[in-house]
Amino acid sequence: MLSAVSIGIGGMVGGGIFAVLGLAVQLAAGGTYIAFAIAGFIAVLTSYSYARLTSAFPSQGGTVEFLNQAFGTGILTGGLNILLWFNYVIMLSLYAYAFGSYGSTYFSVDLQPLMKHLLTSAVIIVFTGLNISGSRAVGEAEEWIVGVKVGILLLFLIFGFGRLDLANLKPATWAPAFQLITGGMIIFVAYEGFELIANTASDIKNPERNIPRSYAIAVGFVILLYILIAVVALGVLPIPKIVEAKDYALAAVAEPLLGSLGFTIITVAALMSTASAINATLYGASRVSYIIAKDGELPASLERKIWNKPVEGLLITAGVTLAVANLFDLSSIATTGSAGFIIVFAAVNAANFRLFRQTRSRRWLPLLGTAACFAALVMLIAQTAMENPWKVAILAAILLMSFLIEIAYRRFSGRILKQVFPLEIRDSHLSNTDVPNVVWVNDGSGWFNDGGQSLSASDSARECRSDNNRCSLWR
């Protein structure tokens, strides 16, 4: 469970908090800690759906498998799954670019452009190799990285709370309500990462007990950490100075606390955080590409395993990330990545709403999560359109590309689409079978038992209820 929690925290406390704190203060002013709490509320609702779905359908595919179970392997699900993979590539590129930017500051001005590209590429290559070595190595590395990173941030908080100016936190300093809420939606990207716990489900012991706990601990801890960081930042440094240094706001706040050493320590924390996020996201993204391919929505070569691991998907994800991180201006698509994840999270909440019997969920919670995600998306698009309409166009282009790829691939590939997580049934509820008490499996083309018998069309069309991943046809 510790490795799963570390994967979740590492995915969330990545480049996000270091990159978006200044922007959050610019939008929400003295109410930045409220903005983080608003974004955290959506993260809590969505993590509930993830926890219930992960327990019901443990699979390395995580989000991909949840959408397939709820909505089948149609165009909608396929397009969303490819969008998810695009989102991971965008976030990986952003983290790698941030790592290269922070790391290059230790070199001379003449060498910085070259070193930024070298460090950006090196961190992707190193953690790709680590992920190839196996999930256990990923978990052990993640525990170490997360421990150091969180330790630095806690040290920052300890020193910061001794020098707080509470006047900077009063409601009079808050931005207007719409800006406050919008600020929370834009910084939602800082919470992206907890969904990676779903990709570790098959590696967790006692999953029914430990999966929900992993989500609760990871998300709860990060929400509290972000709120406290915002409080210290606002209480130590005046709002105009934070906005002025918004690209490195945390380091700017640390400097008056600990001098140049504080700036250096937070820079190191930023390097650790971005490296940690790359590590955790590569782990999940490689399994996403593998499961999408296994589902028939990407080329069959991606579902081959090497050393019993989905290495080809990992290598292709890393290769595309290398290209994007070194060739494109990532600042223009960072907000698009946040919007893309909100779309996917809305779909996951809707999936839990539809599968509430199988996941044993309280149906109103995923419904509220779906509504909250759509509201967040509308506000994010509205704010982005006012600042830079081209970012909205980029989001539209990525969405269109995801579904066009899905449509084109289905039309020309000829691959048979199937569910990854087979639904099993016992035939004790069937009246028209000669083989009682055997397991029936749906491979996407129909229901079959071990003897090769298939159910009739009328039987296979009946509603199937699931309990602990086993389905029973009932009348």
Side-chain angles (χ1 to χ4, degrees):
M1 187 178 77
L2 180 59
S3 293
V5 172
S6 297
I7 288 285
I9 293 176
M12 285 183 282
V13 189
I17 184 63
F18 296 93
V20 305
L21 178 62
L23 177 61
V25 173
Q26 184 178 16
L27 292 170
T32 299
Y33 58 97
I34 302 297
F36 274 111
I38 293 171
F41 174 69
I42 297 177
V44 167
L45 291 174
T46 305
S47 67
Y48 172 81
S49 288
Y50 267 98
R52 304 310 300 174
L53 287 163
T54 304
S55 297
F57 307 106
S59 164
Q60 288 186 338
T63 303
V64 175
E65 180 61 18
F66 304 154
L67 297 179
N68 288 343
Q69 286 291 327
F71 307 114
T73 54
I75 297 295
L76 174 63
T77 303
L80 287 172
N81 287 338
I82 294 175
L83 174 63
L84 175 65
W85 184 78
F86 272 127
N87 289 339
Y88 280 137
V89 169
I90 290 171
M91 297 311 296
L92 280 167
S93 302
L94 179 63
Y95 297 148
Y97 188 88
F99 182 93
S101 298
Y102 272 101
S104 65
T105 61
Y106 289 101
F107 297 89
S108 65
V109 175
D110 293 338
L111 287 176
Q112 282 183 8
L114 174 62
M115 293 308 302
K116 180 164 67 174
H117 285 289
L118 290 177
L119 290 171
T120 295
S121 301
V123 72
I124 297 170
I125 294 170
V126 167
F127 282 104
T128 298
L130 183 61
N131 274 263
I132 290 175
S133 68
S135 60
R136 181 176 179 180
V138 173
E140 290 173 352
E142 197 63 29
E143 291 168 21
W144 180 78
I145 293 173
V146 170
V148 173
K149 171 179 56 179
V150 171
I152 292 174
L153 291 175
L154 291 177
L155 182 67
F156 166 82
L157 293 176
I158 290 171
F159 280 95
F161 271 107
R163 298 184 56 177
L164 288 182
D165 182 358
L166 298 180
N168 293 338
L169 306 174
K170 293 181 179 179
T173 66
W174 296 3
F178 179 77
Q179 276 187 260
L180 192 64
I181 298 173
T182 301
M185 300 308 100
I186 289 179
I187 63 175
F188 182 77
V189 67
Y191 288 105
E192 183 279 318
F194 65 83
E195 80 284 353
L196 297 174
I197 294 175
N199 302 105
T200 70
S202 59
D203 300 317
I204 297 177
K205 295 180 179 179
N206 193 8
E208 291 187 5
R209 175 176 177 269
N210 289 330
I211 286 174
R213 289 188 176 188
S214 297
Y215 279 103
I217 293 171
V219 174
F221 174 80
V222 171
I223 290 174
L224 180 61
L225 179 66
Y226 285 175
I227 291 174
L228 292 178
I229 287 175
V231 167
V232 168
L234 292 166
V236 169
L237 203 63
I239 292 174
K241 289 188 176 181
I242 296 177
V243 174
E244 182 182 352
K246 67 178 182 179
D247 291 338
Y248 51 94
L250 268 182
V253 173
E255 193 165 19
L257 294 176
L258 299 170
S260 59
L261 177 62
F263 190 97
T264 300
I265 289 175
I266 291 300
T267 299
V268 171
L271 293 173
M272 297 293 294
S273 294
T274 51
S276 173
I278 291 168
N279 183 35
T281 307
L282 272 172
Y283 178 84
S286 65
R287 281 146 181 80
V288 165
S289 61
Y290 168 74
I291 295 298
I292 294 176
K294 195 172 180 65
D295 183 44
E297 295 162 356
L298 284 175
S301 61
L302 293 183
E303 78 173 277
R304 289 203 304 266
K305 288 189 175 185
I306 303 174
W307 303 315
N308 201 34
K309 301 176 184 70
V311 174
E312 285 200 29
L314 172 62
L315 293 177
I316 291 176
T317 299
V320 175
T321 301
L322 278 169
V324 175
N326 284 285
L327 297 176
F328 293 93
D329 178 10
L330 300 180
S331 63
S332 64
I333 59 175
T335 302
T336 305
S338 180
F341 271 108
I342 290 176
I343 292 172
V344 173
F345 288 167
V348 170
N349 278 299
N352 191 33
F353 176 79
R354 186 168 186 175
L355 298 171
F356 77 99
R357 288 191 181 92
Q358 290 93 322
T359 61
R360 299 176 182 178
S361 300
R362 298 182 180 182
R363 204 175 191 186
W364 65 271
L365 281 172
L367 178 62
L368 180 60
T370 304
C373 285
F374 276 117
L377 180 63
V378 170
M379 293 184 181
L380 179 59
I381 290 175
Q383 180 66 32
T384 303
M386 289 188 289
E387 294 182 350
N388 190 341
W390 282 108
K391 292 182 181 179
V392 179
I394 292 173
L395 172 61
I398 292 176
L399 278 172
L400 182 62
M401 189 183 306
S402 298
F403 286 95
L404 286 178
I405 289 174
E406 175 67 10
I407 293 170
Y409 186 73
R410 285 175 182 248
R411 181 172 182 179
F412 297 111
S413 70
R415 290 198 70 194
I416 297 175
L417 300 173
K418 55 189 178 181
Q419 283 184 291
V420 178
F421 201 98
L423 297 177
E424 296 184 357
I425 65 170
R426 295 282 177 177
D427 73 344
S428 56
H429 293 277
L430 299 176
S431 59
N432 298 323
T433 179
D434 297 326
V435 186
N437 299 319
V438 297
V439 175
W440 297 78
V441 179
N442 188 339
D443 68 354
S445 60
W447 294 94
F448 299 90
N449 65 20
D450 293 337
Q453 288 180 302
S454 63
L455 298 183
S456 68
S458 59
D459 281 331
S460 61
R462 286 189 173 91
E463 182 177 355
C464 180
R465 268 189 182 172
S466 173
D467 185 16
N468 294 328
N469 303 323
R470 291 186 178 273
C471 290
S472 297
L473 293 179
W474 66 294
R475 301 189 183 284

